């Protein structure tokens, strides 16, 4: 076994936490999607997947069966997690519908994708180039419309009107709660190991302090667990 797996196993044996999510199946979407323009270029975003991977790990450590539907990242698969690699928003949508269960929608999904993917490398011309984009599936909203007793947790990364935007998404996508990140907070955002989030549900909001992404993941897992009970 790899050293990291041995460490995870021993930590697990020593941990005080019971297997409080044993018998529960959850999906976590994480990372950035990649929308091909041609065989060489793509449209994507800065998500590294760290937050989603930390959540998958926290849930698995509590005994849940976790399916991690992952866009492009360079992170190792957390111990005990089943990982499905996808590239585009369409592939992430199909995997999410197929695996649909209580879900944490952490991925940074492209909202638009090129209308056509060029089969061969686009060559430059003298003038400007326009690429027409079409909408992708809003995976969270579509799962939210068919959730029937499943719990759905969303994320919102905002740069302005943070709380109003997050509350709008909570309602529109039928989330049980939403995790708001503001890019204005130091220590929150892409690639860093810390996060500062506010958990918002229909009853109110809970502002968490600056924590590591692993600690933030534990808080999110605590809240999921309390709803599942
Ligand atoms: N999401 C999704 N599928 C999409 C877009 C977003 O599942 N095509 C999910 C994200 O994983 C996140 C939540 O919806 O949990 C909010 O994502 P965000 O990008 O903040 O919201 P958008 O709906 O894209 O809204 P906007 O672009 O207007 O901010």
């Amino acid at each position: 076994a790899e050293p990291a797996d041995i460490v995870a196993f021993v930590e697990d044996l020593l941990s005080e936490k019971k297997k409080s999510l044993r018998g529960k199946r959850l999906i976590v979407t994480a990372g950035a999607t990649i929308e091909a323009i041609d065989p060489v270029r793509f449209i994507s975003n800065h998500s590294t997947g760290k937050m989603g991977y930390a959540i998958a790990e926290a849930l698995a450590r509590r005994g849940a069966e976790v399916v991690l539907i992952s866009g492009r990242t360079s992170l190792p698969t957390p111990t005990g997690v089943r990982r499905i690699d996808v590239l585009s928003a369409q592939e992430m949508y199909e995997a999410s519908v197929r695996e649909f269960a209580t879900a944490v929608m952490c991925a940074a999904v492209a909202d638009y994708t090129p209308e056509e993917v060029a089969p061969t490398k686009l060559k430059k011309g003298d003038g400007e180039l326009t690429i027409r984009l079409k909408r992708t599936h809003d995976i969270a909203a579509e799962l939210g419309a068919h959730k029937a007793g499943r719990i759905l947790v969303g994320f919102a990364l905002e740069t302005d009107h943070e709380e109003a935007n997050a509350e709008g998404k909570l309602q529109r996508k039928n989330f049980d709660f939403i995790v708001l990140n503001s890019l204005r907070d130091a220590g929150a955002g892409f690639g860093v190991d810390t996060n500062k989030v506010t958990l918002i549900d229909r009853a109110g909001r809970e502002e968490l302090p600056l924590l590591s992404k692993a600690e933030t993941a534990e808080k999110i897992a605590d809240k999921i667990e309390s709803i599942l009970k």
Side-chain angles (χ1 to χ4, degrees):
E2 293 296 323
D5 290 338
I6 297 170
V7 170
F9 186 78
V10 172
E11 270 180 353
D12 209 53
L13 285 178
L14 298 176
S15 105
E16 294 288 308
K17 273 218 159 76
K18 309 184 295 303
K19 297 289 181 195
S20 45
L21 290 174
R22 197 192 299 268
K24 306 284 186 205
R25 210 174 87 83
L26 293 105
I27 66 173
V28 179
T29 68
T33 65
I34 291 206
E35 308 301 323
I37 296 170
D38 69 10
V40 184
R41 291 96 168 194
F42 58 80
I43 299 171
S44 192
N45 60 69
H46 290 300
S47 170
T48 58
K50 280 186 176 172
M51 194 62 242
Y53 273 56
I55 291 171
E57 185 170 358
L59 295 170
R61 209 179 291 135
R62 295 177 190 210
E65 181 193 338
V66 180
V67 181
L68 177 59
I69 302 173
S70 176
R72 181 199 50 161
T73 99
S74 53
L75 300 170
T77 309
T79 303
V81 166
R82 178 158 71 90
R83 169 168 158 186
I84 300 175
D85 285 320
V86 296
L87 281 177
S88 62
Q90 179 64 26
E91 286 179 21
M92 186 170 274
Y93 169 73
E94 286 167 15
S96 302
V97 169
R98 197 173 61 238
E99 300 290 338
F100 194 11
T102 283
V104 187
M105 313 301 292
C106 214
V109 187
D111 291 324
Y112 293 91
T113 192
E115 217 164 56
E116 282 169 28
V117 182
T120 54
K121 187 181 171 197
L122 292 174
K123 289 294 176 189
K124 66 174 164 298
D126 290 334
E128 290 174 352
L129 171 70
T130 303
I131 299 173
R132 276 189 69 83
L133 304 177
K134 62 179 184 192
R135 280 290 307 269
T136 56
H137 286 283
D138 187 327
I139 305 168
E142 293 194 32
L143 298 189
H146 300 98
K147 76 181 207 185
R150 301 172 185 94
I151 290 161
L152 206 57
V153 180
F155 272 73
L157 177 66
E158 307 291 346
T159 56
D160 57 320
H161 303 101
E162 290 90 339
E163 296 200 344
N165 283 335
E167 275 164 14
K169 286 173 193 176
L170 175 78
Q171 302 294 346
R172 231 178 15 257
K173 305 199 189 201
N174 204 11
F175 290 135
D176 290 85
F177 70 94
I178 190 160
V179 182
L180 166 63
N181 293 270
S182 170
L183 270 189
R184 282 200 281 200
D185 282 322
F190 298 116
V192 295
D193 288 318
T194 53
N195 210 350
K196 188 171 183 316
V197 303
T198 304
L199 308 183
I200 304 176
D201 62 18
R202 284 171 184 74
R205 62 187 66 153
E206 182 188 354
E207 207 172 308
L208 302 182
L210 184 69
L211 297 170
S212 70
K213 283 190 172 163
E215 290 164 330
T216 305
E218 292 297 333
K219 298 279 186 202
I220 292 166
D222 286 344
K223 190 159 172 80
I224 293 171
E225 204 179 303
S226 74
I227 299 172
L228 279 171
K229 271 189 183 137

